[in-house]
Short mmCIF file of all heavy atoms in Angstrom, two decimals:
data_model
loop_
_atom_site.label_atom_id
_atom_site.label_comp_id
_atom_site.label_asym_id
_atom_site.label_seq_id
_atom_site.Cartn_x
_atom_site.Cartn_y
_atom_site.Cartn_z
N CYS A 182 2.99 36.71 27.53
CA CYS A 182 1.70 37.11 28.07
C CYS A 182 1.86 37.53 29.57
O CYS A 182 2.25 36.69 30.38
CB CYS A 182 0.68 35.99 27.97
SG CYS A 182 -0.85 36.30 28.83
N ARG A 184 -0.40 38.07 31.79
CA ARG A 184 -1.34 37.33 32.67
C ARG A 184 -0.75 35.94 32.99
O ARG A 184 -0.79 35.49 34.13
CB ARG A 184 -2.69 37.16 31.99
CG ARG A 184 -3.73 36.42 32.77
CD ARG A 184 -5.05 36.44 32.03
NE ARG A 184 -6.06 35.59 32.59
CZ ARG A 184 -6.85 35.90 33.60
NH1 ARG A 184 -6.75 37.09 34.16
NH2 ARG A 184 -7.78 35.08 34.03
N GLN A 185 -0.22 35.29 32.00
CA GLN A 185 0.41 33.98 32.19
C GLN A 185 1.56 34.09 33.21
O GLN A 185 1.74 33.23 34.07
CB GLN A 185 0.92 33.48 30.87
CG GLN A 185 1.04 32.01 30.74
CD GLN A 185 1.37 31.59 29.31
OE1 GLN A 185 1.59 32.41 28.43
NE2 GLN A 185 1.40 30.31 29.07
N LEU A 188 0.06 34.38 36.72
CA LEU A 188 -0.55 33.10 37.17
C LEU A 188 0.58 32.10 37.57
O LEU A 188 0.55 31.49 38.63
CB LEU A 188 -1.42 32.49 36.09
CG LEU A 188 -2.70 33.28 35.79
CD1 LEU A 188 -3.36 32.72 34.51
CD2 LEU A 188 -3.64 33.24 36.95
N PRO A 320 -7.35 38.98 30.92
CA PRO A 320 -6.90 38.28 29.67
C PRO A 320 -7.08 39.15 28.42
O PRO A 320 -8.02 39.88 28.33
CB PRO A 320 -7.84 37.05 29.61
CG PRO A 320 -9.02 37.42 30.46
CD PRO A 320 -8.57 38.36 31.49
N VAL A 321 -6.10 39.05 27.58
CA VAL A 321 -6.15 39.75 26.27
C VAL A 321 -5.90 38.66 25.25
O VAL A 321 -4.90 37.97 25.33
CB VAL A 321 -5.08 40.84 26.18
CG1 VAL A 321 -5.03 41.42 24.80
CG2 VAL A 321 -5.32 41.90 27.23
N ILE A 323 -4.58 36.75 22.38
CA ILE A 323 -3.44 36.81 21.50
C ILE A 323 -3.31 35.46 20.83
O ILE A 323 -3.92 34.48 21.25
CB ILE A 323 -2.14 37.14 22.28
CG1 ILE A 323 -1.91 36.12 23.43
CG2 ILE A 323 -2.16 38.56 22.82
CD1 ILE A 323 -0.61 36.31 24.19
N ALA A 325 -1.12 33.23 21.05
CA ALA A 325 -0.65 32.20 21.96
C ALA A 325 -1.76 31.58 22.79
O ALA A 325 -1.63 30.48 23.33
CB ALA A 325 0.42 32.77 22.91
N CYS A 326 -2.92 32.26 22.89
CA CYS A 326 -4.02 31.70 23.69
C CYS A 326 -4.46 30.33 23.19
O CYS A 326 -4.84 29.45 23.97
CB CYS A 326 -5.23 32.64 23.66
SG CYS A 326 -4.94 34.21 24.50
N CYS A 329 -2.49 27.68 24.82
CA CYS A 329 -2.06 27.97 26.18
C CYS A 329 -2.77 27.01 27.17
O CYS A 329 -3.95 26.75 27.07
CB CYS A 329 -2.43 29.40 26.55
SG CYS A 329 -1.97 29.87 28.23
N TYR A 331 -3.56 27.66 30.10
CA TYR A 331 -4.51 28.41 30.91
C TYR A 331 -5.75 28.77 30.11
O TYR A 331 -6.55 29.59 30.59
CB TYR A 331 -3.86 29.71 31.43
CG TYR A 331 -2.80 29.49 32.47
CD1 TYR A 331 -1.48 29.70 32.19
CD2 TYR A 331 -3.15 29.11 33.78
CE1 TYR A 331 -0.48 29.54 33.13
CE2 TYR A 331 -2.16 28.97 34.74
CZ TYR A 331 -0.82 29.17 34.44
OH TYR A 331 0.13 29.01 35.39
N TYR A 332 -5.90 28.23 28.91
CA TYR A 332 -6.95 28.70 28.02
C TYR A 332 -8.34 28.69 28.74
O TYR A 332 -9.06 29.71 28.73
CB TYR A 332 -7.02 27.87 26.77
CG TYR A 332 -8.04 28.38 25.78
CD1 TYR A 332 -7.71 29.33 24.82
CD2 TYR A 332 -9.37 27.95 25.86
CE1 TYR A 332 -8.66 29.83 23.96
CE2 TYR A 332 -10.32 28.44 24.97
CZ TYR A 332 -9.96 29.39 24.02
OH TYR A 332 -10.92 29.87 23.18
N CYS A 335 -8.79 31.33 31.40
CA CYS A 335 -8.98 32.70 30.93
C CYS A 335 -10.30 32.88 30.16
O CYS A 335 -10.94 33.92 30.26
CB CYS A 335 -7.84 33.13 30.02
SG CYS A 335 -6.26 33.24 30.86
N TRP A 336 -10.66 31.86 29.42
CA TRP A 336 -11.77 32.02 28.46
C TRP A 336 -12.84 30.95 28.70
O TRP A 336 -13.42 30.43 27.81
CB TRP A 336 -11.23 31.88 27.02
CG TRP A 336 -10.08 32.77 26.75
CD1 TRP A 336 -8.81 32.45 26.59
CD2 TRP A 336 -10.15 34.20 26.59
NE1 TRP A 336 -8.02 33.55 26.35
CE2 TRP A 336 -8.82 34.63 26.35
CE3 TRP A 336 -11.18 35.14 26.67
CZ2 TRP A 336 -8.51 36.01 26.17
CZ3 TRP A 336 -10.84 36.47 26.48
CH2 TRP A 336 -9.54 36.91 26.23
S1 SF4 B 682 -4.97 32.02 27.54
FE1 SF4 B 682 -4.15 33.82 26.53
S2 SF4 B 682 -4.52 35.51 28.00
FE2 SF4 B 682 -4.74 33.55 29.12
S3 SF4 B 682 -2.74 33.18 30.06
FE3 SF4 B 682 -2.82 32.10 28.10
S4 SF4 B 682 -1.92 33.44 26.57
FE4 SF4 B 682 -2.45 34.68 28.40
#
Side-chain angles (χ1 to χ4, degrees):
C182 171
R184 180 175 171 85
Q185 204 171 4
L188 293 171
V321 174
I323 57 175
C326 293
C329 179
Y331 289 109
Y332 184 89
C335 294
W336 308 108

